[in-house]
Amino acid sequence: MMSQNVANSSTDEESLKEIFDQAMKLFDKIENGNEATNSDPVQISIKSAIKKFEKATNLVSLSGMFSKNESLEELPTETLQYLLLPALLGTLSLKLCNQPRKDVINVADIYFKDFLQRCKDYGVTDVEVPQTTNNEVSNRSQTEQAKIASMVMTREAKIKRYKEVKELKEKLGTLSKAMSSPNADDDTKRQYFTTLLLNYVNQALDEISSIEQERPILEYMAKHAGEAKPSHRERAPPLKPVIITRDAVQKAVFGAGYPSLPTLTVEEFYDKRVRDGVFPSSGTNIPHATIQTADADADDAEEIRKENLVDDDDEEELERKRNMDEYKDDHRRGWGNRYNRS
């Protein structure tokens, strides 16, 4: 049935491939570029790629290309790449710098979970897709023994997944070279797309975990921000996810509060986001002895830029710095860690 639908809309299919290929070129340029993510040229490229991927998503939905009644083996090889759309949109959404961060991570969270569920439906993976829960209630109800068991299981799962990711990347590198040949057969293409899907499954799990670590920081900042001050910057329209769907019911937005398995402390996670250019720097009073990076020069340049904002009395930058200083004062390193006794 799906093949007939695609055949009957050959014009749309050609247009879809063209749009998807253009978007992928932009995506690869963004991922492999050396320019700062928050620079204007990169942000323009990100928005352009998002629009193209959203258009491709709409075309996929209109064609009825995917159905829960099908298995992966039933899908034509050339359509497998379109299963990547939610993961690609989620990855790009996290790079947006002109939107409220809470909206950004919520939209990305929807994309990644939609991608994981779709991959699970087609048998690409058997991972458990995180479901909505109340984290605060769930954490309080855990006994100490359960927490320790969870930590051990998480560590074992991380080691196992690390090995799997390494093997996947090696396999993907080999298949990428084979794909560059004009004589690549259908079996090679199918293996390549399937391996690519599995690679993005691992990336999606990592991003969902990072999102859940970022939520309490954003909630704290919002709680201690006080009265909103008038912004001199033009507000961008709110973000809305565009997922592969055939009816309006499937477009329901998932709620927040999915379970997470944090691998970094709040301070370490915040410092990581500072290095990525997502969060503002909180000054130089935070110890960084446990964090080593080879990108110190890039971080110094970013720090200079942010210090210039403070020197220019940028109200938003000053407010963010005050909020994070208060947060670090109230949440000292090691608090909440029963094994870090002093």
Side-chain angles (χ1 to χ4, degrees):
M1 180 182 296
M2 191 282 301
S3 298
Q4 291 178 352
N5 287 338
V6 174
N8 292 336
S9 57
S10 59
T11 303
D12 286 344
E13 177 65 16
E14 291 170 2
S15 176
L16 169 61
K17 186 179 187 311
E18 184 177 309
I19 293 169
F20 185 83
D21 289 346
Q22 290 173 358
M24 279 304 302
K25 287 180 181 179
L26 277 174
F27 182 85
D28 291 338
K29 182 180 178 182
I30 294 165
E31 288 288 285
N32 301 320
N34 296 322
E35 197 166 353
T37 304
N38 58 359
S39 66
D40 288 341
V42 175
Q43 285 295 302
I44 290 172
S45 294
I46 291 171
K47 291 175 185 177
S48 178
I50 286 176
K51 287 182 180 179
K52 290 181 183 297
F53 279 137
E54 286 178 346
K55 188 173 182 180
T57 299
N58 288 329
L59 288 174
V60 168
S61 298
L62 288 172
S63 70
M65 188 175 294
F66 301 125
S67 170
K68 286 187 177 182
N69 299 324
E70 294 177 323
S71 64
L72 192 70
E73 290 72 22
E74 294 178 87
L75 292 176
T77 300
E78 295 300 326
T79 65
L80 295 180
Q81 59 189 324
Y82 302 129
L83 287 171
L84 288 166
L85 281 167
L88 298 171
L89 281 164
T91 302
L92 288 173
S93 296
L94 285 177
K95 298 179 185 295
L96 288 171
C97 298
N98 65 336
Q99 297 280 354
R101 186 62 187 172
K102 184 178 179 181
D103 293 347
V104 167
I105 66 172
N106 285 341
V107 167
D109 191 58
I110 292 171
Y111 277 133
F112 288 128
K113 284 175 178 148
D114 176 72
F115 170 71
L116 290 177
Q117 187 61 56
R118 201 170 297 276
C119 286
K120 187 175 183 179
D121 290 343
Y122 274 101
V124 177
T125 180
D126 59 354
V127 298
E128 204 61 40
V129 182
Q131 300 297 319
T132 305
T133 61
N134 188 320
N135 278 338
E136 186 176 356
V137 174
S138 176
N139 289 337
R140 287 177 180 174
S141 64
Q142 275 191 309
T143 63
E144 289 303 312
Q145 187 177 2
K147 289 180 181 178
I148 294 173
S150 176
M151 289 169 60
V152 173
M153 290 178 64
T154 302
R155 182 176 180 276
E156 291 176 349
K158 285 175 62 179
I159 293 173
K160 180 182 178 182
R161 199 155 66 83
Y162 173 79
K163 293 179 179 178
E164 291 175 350
V165 169
K166 186 178 180 182
E167 292 175 358
L168 273 175
K169 287 185 176 179
E170 291 176 354
K171 183 178 180 181
L172 196 59
T174 301
L175 289 169
S176 295
K177 293 179 181 177
M179 284 288 289
S180 62
S181 170
N183 299 321
D185 57 19
D186 187 75
D187 184 59
T188 300
K189 292 178 181 179
R190 199 168 192 84
Q191 285 188 52
Y192 172 76
F193 290 134
T194 303
T195 306
L196 197 58
L197 285 168
L198 286 170
N199 187 55
Y200 271 97
V201 164
N202 285 302
Q203 289 188 36
L205 289 171
D206 288 339
E207 292 295 358
I208 289 172
S209 178
S210 294
I211 286 170
E212 289 311 314
Q213 294 173 64
E214 186 172 342
R215 287 191 197 279
I217 297 175
L218 295 177
E219 289 170 1
Y220 180 89
M221 292 173 69
K223 184 178 179 181
H224 294 78
E227 293 185 5
K229 296 184 178 181
S231 175
H232 299 292
R233 301 178 182 177
E234 184 178 349
R235 289 288 182 183
L239 287 174
K240 292 183 180 180
V242 178
I243 61 176
I244 301 171
T245 175
R246 295 187 65 179
D247 55 68
V249 176
Q250 295 179 6
K251 293 184 180 179
V253 176
F254 302 102
Y258 293 88
S260 61
L261 299 171
T263 57
L264 302 174
T265 65
V266 170
E267 180 179 292
E268 289 169 341
F269 179 78
Y270 188 88
D271 287 346
K272 179 178 181 297
R273 287 304 189 189
V274 170
R275 293 197 304 273
D276 292 341
V278 176
F279 282 173
S281 172
S282 57
T284 57
N285 61 330
I286 308 298
H288 295 272
T290 60
I291 302 175
Q292 301 296 329
T293 175
D295 299 327
D297 292 340
D299 291 340
D300 290 342
E302 181 66 11
E303 187 64 26
I304 292 172
R305 187 187 72 81
K306 293 184 180 295
E307 287 176 359
N308 289 337
L309 287 177
V310 175
D311 293 338
D312 295 337
D313 294 329
D314 184 278
E315 293 182 356
E316 185 175 346
E317 183 69 15
L318 289 171
E319 184 64 21
R320 286 181 178 177
K321 288 174 69 67
R322 283 195 293 267
N323 287 339
M324 282 314 303
D325 285 340
E326 291 176 6
Y327 183 88
K328 296 299 176 64
D329 289 340
D330 294 340
H331 298 75
R332 291 297 181 186
R333 183 177 180 83
W335 286 13
N337 183 352
R338 294 181 181 271
Y339 300 96
N340 191 11
R341 303 179 186 275
S342 57

